Amino acid sequence: MYYIEHQKILVSVDCIIFGFEDSKLKVLIGHRKMDPGRGEWSLYGGFVGNDESVEDAAQRTLFQLTGMRNVYMRQVGAFGAVDRDPGARVVSVAYYALINVKDYSEELMREHEVEWMNIEELPSMFSDHREMILRARQMMQLQIKTEPVGFQLLPRLFTLTQLQRLYEAVNGEDIDKRNFRKRIKDMEFIEKTQLIDKKSSKRGAYLYQFNNKIYNEDKNFKL
């Protein structure tokens, strides 16, 4: 009975799922299954229901796509250009999430017909979905300097080379190995284990792990 004189606008959510594999930052995308734009490369998303908040809709959409809960997720922002969706007036709120590629079910990949795409090789995409991905990457580039968000993309045990490659992939530029490792040694929450990874090099490399308890005790983190 209220606001009947105003135009109704649809609200949707789009999930930008980042993963890290083969030293590349990747994003999960697929071909759009509905009109308009059927068949175009697209993010996975959906409309916000009458009985849920925008964040609840994003969590639901993320779970439908990945089958995972308690995933690191942050809001990127609202995308509301008047002509962004030729089907209707739609405002979309984008979220980005970080998962370990190896934790993602291949069965769900086939079910949703999505695949991991190198962020440096993104194809033309539906509406402003490519812009959403690039803005999410910019946001992550800022966050990774002050928050250990990158550990969400790595296995529980990792080498320093893997960690460096991750930072290089997120930032899109090479990092000096000596300076990087010097800074890592000053961070007590990155713990060296006695385990050796013999797959990445003939000599083997020590495996490290992230200690969340130590990090929470001292959050003066900057890389």
Side-chain angles (χ1 to χ4, degrees), residues 6 10 18-19 22 34 44 46 49 74 82 91 95 116 120 131-132 134 147 161 177 181 184 196:
H6 295 287
L10 297 171
F18 286 122
D22 301 326
M34 60 188 295
Y44 189 87
R74 291 291 183 273
V82 174
V91 173
Y95 286 80
W116 290 108
E120 305 294 351
E131 180 187 346
M132 290 180 179
L134 297 180
E147 300 177 50
T161 297
K177 179 178 178 180
R181 298 201 173 195
I184 291 298
I196 302 291

Side-chain angles (χ1 to χ4, degrees), residues 107-130:
E107 183 178 343
L108 283 175
M109 283 187 69
R110 291 191 295 270
E111 176 184 337
H112 295 296
E113 298 178 356
V114 293
E115 61 184 86
W116 290 108
M117 184 73 69
N118 183 351
I119 197 170
E120 305 294 351
E121 301 172 353
L122 289 177
S124 175
M125 301 186 70
F126 173 75
S127 185
D128 48 13
H129 287 194
R130 195 173 190 275

Side-chain angles (χ1 to χ4, degrees), residues 159-175:
T159 66
L160 290 185
T161 297
Q162 285 177 301
L163 184 60
Q164 180 177 336
R165 294 288 181 266
L166 170 62
Y167 274 82
E168 290 175 335
V170 170
N171 291 303
E173 59 185 17
D174 293 337
I175 298 175

Side-chain angles (χ1 to χ4, degrees), residues 14 49 64 79 85 93 109 120-121 137 160 182 210:
D14 282 294
Q64 288 173 346
F79 293 75
D85 191 321
V93 182
M109 283 187 69
E120 305 294 351
E121 301 172 353
R137 185 189 193 181
L160 290 185
K182 183 178 179 181
F210 172 67

